[in-house]
């Protein structure tokens, strides 16, 4: 996994072992005890007790004693200063002898150095490993006497409601934004950061939570944003007969590694040399800051995201469960073995089915590990996805863009950091800490440090990373998404997969129990990189209509935004419809409540509600499957140069010569 560009999927055990030795990202997670500092009141009490214990009859000293002590003390101080810094203590750089001794001062204010615990990892282990009051037999989960349990009709909001319910992304406002962000006037400089017109005008619709790329909480994308002026509710004359639902896990802690920046790396850097710096101004909070983030796991907010997503999906599509009752079968949902993936699926299930969900559905848990074919984690069986020059191409663009859009911020923050060697990468990491701390702790002081324009720059930096690492600009994007496309075609046609020549798993896919066909509802959980792989493999090319992304500036009206396509808990709906106004079953794709045009798919004409005949859609996807060479793309010995010397907008590897 060290070769993969995204920071999403975590790492295998052997990689983590290597990482533990080599990387400061993991090193920062080693618990470091914070020394107990006595409070002022206890210190005062101690001092008072000390003086109170002295005898009243102490020896008295004369003027001669005091004068001699003063002279000797002064001489000792001068000798100590000379021993430490030589003649520099007594003369300035210009030769003047009147310069004051060097001190750790900012803007004339002498500061103490940061305490040694700064940047250390703070961990609260819960639950206790061996609680003394644990008696499960006295606390059963069901004692009977449930009372009446008659059920009612299933919800069908997507069919019956006069409007489609939209999602703001904040989950009942559990997350807090800063009261205000840094303004241009407060920046105190006028450097050109290369952000087109973004720096010259204040955006009236700016939303911090929607400016974090893949770290944004999911929200309903504006109607028409992708090019179809239609809502996700059922079009007139149509009815929904099936739904294929694909979603990402919820908000999480940082992963154990990253190709660029990384919150734990920054914490480690602070913790290694607190004696060299002291922060002031807007960074003063760092003088007492500790690293409170874990690794890989869902945060409480992330759990809520999937729980809420399960509820909203049941409210919209609950009526599809009637199909299972009529056939006397249970739905089969899929997720992966990774902790946050399983936890996301369980929280979704509790929201969708309610507690307890036993007997209401079956949860298939595929193994995310090398050696196991898995369409929801295809990188595990695609060796070229482990080669940085092929799978981490976005880092080259991100580094160059960061040097442009963070130039002002770097200059501004360095002034408040004393002698700390603050790099552009550190500043980008401080931006990362804003969303990570917010979704984990509810609020982050790091969010206050940057302007709207700098947050736009951060958002675009993640667009660059994922466009070139996991989507249309990556040479290994389409091939990693093709296995899921094969499964989708099998489900749409109610026929087994013909040939297993990608990340599909024959053991699972050829078994009608673990991979049922002909059902009205499918729910799959995966990572954001795989969602982008699948978008690319399907050839939803309107999302790449604005072309390759430059690292020099933010293009106006770009069609590809990761915050819209792959945020935390992102979701894709593949609606299957029957319409009296159109012949045969229709399909349309909805990403985060916005309809996506299917005109990039061969044979799919422009349609006002974004629909395409299933037969036409399937034929085009079969052609894409046929033209995708898993052996060459994932195992071939091809190369691509870094940066703009080679680019693609289809997610394909360079073809054989």
């Amino acid at each position: 996994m060290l070769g993969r560009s995204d920071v999403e999927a975590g790492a295998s055990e052997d990689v983590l072992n290597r990482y533990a030795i080599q990387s400061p990202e993991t090193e920062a997670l080693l618990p470091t005890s914070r020394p107990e500092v006595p409070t002022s009141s206890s210190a005062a009490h101690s001092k008072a007790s000390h003086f109170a214990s002295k005898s009243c009859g102490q020896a008295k000293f004369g003027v001669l004693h005091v004068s001699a002590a003063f002279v000797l003390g002064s001489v000792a101080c001068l000798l100590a200063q000379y021993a430490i810094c030589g003649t520099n203590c007594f003369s300035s750089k210009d030769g003047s002898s009147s310069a004051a001794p060097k001190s750790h001062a900012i803007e004339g204010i002498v500061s103490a150095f940061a305490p040694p615990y700064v940047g250390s990892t703070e961990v609260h282990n819960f639950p206790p490993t061996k609680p003394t009051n644990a008696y499960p037999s006295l606390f059963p989960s069901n004692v009977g006497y449930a009372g009446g349990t008659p059920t009612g009709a299933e919800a069908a909001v997507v069919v019956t409601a006069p409007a489609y319910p939209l999602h703001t992304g904040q989950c009942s406002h559990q997350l807090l934004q800063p009261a205000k962000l840094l303004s241009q006037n407060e920046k105190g400089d006028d450097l050109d950061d290369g952000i087109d017109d973004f720096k010259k005008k204040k955006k009236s619709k700016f939303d911090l939570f929607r400016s974090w790329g893949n770290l944004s909480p999911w929200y309903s994308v504006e109607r028409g944003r992708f090019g179809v002026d239609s809502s996700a509710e059922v079009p007139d004359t149509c009815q929904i007969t099936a739904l294929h639902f694909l979603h990402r896990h919820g908000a999480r802690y940082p992963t154990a590694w990253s190709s660029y920046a990384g919150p734990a790396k920054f914490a480690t850097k602070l913790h290694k040399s607190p004696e060299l710096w002291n922060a002031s101004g807007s960074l003063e909070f760092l003088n007492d800051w500790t690293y409170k983030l874990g690794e890989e796991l869902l945060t409480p907010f992330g759990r809520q995201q999937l729980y809420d997503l399960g509820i909203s999906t049941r409210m919209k599509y609950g009526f599809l469960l009637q199909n299972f009752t009529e056939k006397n079968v249970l739905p089969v949902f899929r997720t992966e073995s990774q902790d946050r993936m399983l936890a996301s699926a369980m929280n979704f299930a509790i929201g969708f089915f309610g507690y307890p969900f036993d007997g209401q559905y079956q949860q298939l848990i595929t193994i995310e590990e090398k050696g196991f074919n898995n369409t929801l984690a295809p990188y595990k069986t695609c060796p070229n996805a482990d080669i940085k020059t092929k799978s981490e191409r976005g880092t080259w663009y991100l580094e160059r863009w960061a040097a442009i859009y963070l130039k002002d911020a770097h200059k501004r923050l360095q002034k408040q950091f004393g002698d700390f060697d603050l790099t552009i990468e550190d500043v980008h990491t401080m931006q990362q800490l804003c969303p990570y701390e917010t979704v984990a702790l509810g609020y982050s002081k790091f969010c206050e440090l940057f302007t709207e324009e700098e947050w736009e720059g951060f958002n675009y930096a993640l667009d660059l990373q994922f466009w070139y690492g996991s989507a249309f600009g990556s040479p290994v994007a389409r091939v990693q998404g093709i296995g899921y496309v094969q499964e989708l075609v099998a489900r749409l046609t109610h026929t087994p997969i013909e040939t297993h020549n990608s990340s599909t798993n024959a053991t699972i896919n050829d078994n009608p129990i673990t991979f049922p066909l002909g059902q009205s509802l499918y729910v799959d959980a995966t990572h954001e990189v795989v969602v982008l792989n699948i978008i690319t493999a399907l050839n939803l090319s309107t999302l790449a209509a604005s072309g390759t992304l430059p690292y020099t500036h933010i293009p106006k009206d770009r069609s590809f935004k990761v915050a819209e396509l792959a945020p935390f808990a992102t979701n894709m709906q593949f609606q299957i419809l029957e319409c009296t106004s159109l012949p045969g079953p229709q399909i349309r794709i909805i990403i985060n409540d916005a309809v996506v045009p299917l005109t990039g798919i061969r044979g799919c004409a422009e349609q006002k509600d974004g629909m395409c005949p299933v037969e036409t859609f399937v034929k085009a996807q079969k052609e894409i499957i046929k033209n995708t060479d898993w052996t060459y793309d994932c195992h071939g010995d091809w190369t691509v140069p870094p940066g703009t010397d080679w680019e693609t907008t289809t997610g394909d590897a360079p073809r054989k010569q």
Side-chain angles (χ1 to χ4, degrees), residues 30 34 116 129 169 184 201 262 348 361 402 435 456 484 512 558 560 573 578 598 606 620 629 640 657:
L30 297 176
R34 171 173 172 167
T129 55
Q184 289 293 335
K201 61 180 181 180
F348 181 93
Y361 87 120
E456 290 284 2
Y484 189 86
R558 67 190 186 278
F560 182 88
Q573 303 176 33
E578 295 279 358
L598 302 183
E606 184 174 344
D629 189 341
V640 290
Q657 299 298 325

Side-chain angles (χ1 to χ4, degrees), residues 480-491:
Q480 291 186 80
I482 204 66
Y484 189 86
V485 175
Q486 288 178 278
E487 292 179 331
L488 179 62
V489 168
R491 287 169 168 174

Side-chain angles (χ1 to χ4, degrees), residues 156-161 233-234 239-240 316 319:
V157 168
V158 72
V159 177
T160 60
E233 68 255 26
V234 180
Q239 62 178 0
I240 293 179
K316 295 169 187 171
F319 66 95

Side-chain angles (χ1 to χ4, degrees), residues 526-539:
T526 188
H527 302 277
E528 92 272 43
V529 293
V530 184
V531 171
L532 293 173
N533 293 162
I534 293 168
I535 288 172
T536 305
L538 290 167
N539 203 37

Side-chain angles (χ1 to χ4, degrees), residues 26 38 65 74 144 152 221 239 284 305 312 329 387 391 458 472 479 489 494 516 525 547 558 570 605 611 622 643:
T26 294
H65 295 89
S74 300
V221 176
Q239 62 178 0
E284 188 174 1
Q305 282 186 295
S312 66
V329 295
I387 299 176
S391 62
F458 178 75
F472 299 98
V479 71
V489 168
H494 304 174
R558 67 190 186 278
T570 192
M611 291 186 287
K622 284 184 175 181

Side-chain angles (χ1 to χ4, degrees), residues 7 215 252-255 263 293 432-441:
V7 295
L215 305 180
R252 55 159 170 78
Y253 289 127
T255 50
L293 304 177
Q432 287 181 326
L433 277 160
C434 166
Y436 276 127
E437 286 194 341
T438 299
V439 300
L441 308 174

Side-chain angles (χ1 to χ4, degrees), residues 110 141 147 242-243 263 310 362 371 380 386 390 405 446 452 487 545 549 602-603 626 654:
V110 179
S141 59
L243 175 72
Q362 298 183 111
K380 290 296 185 179
D386 270 346
K390 300 177 182 181
Y405 89 90
F446 288 98
E452 289 184 11
E487 292 179 331
L549 302 183
R602 186 186 297 274
K626 180 181 178 181

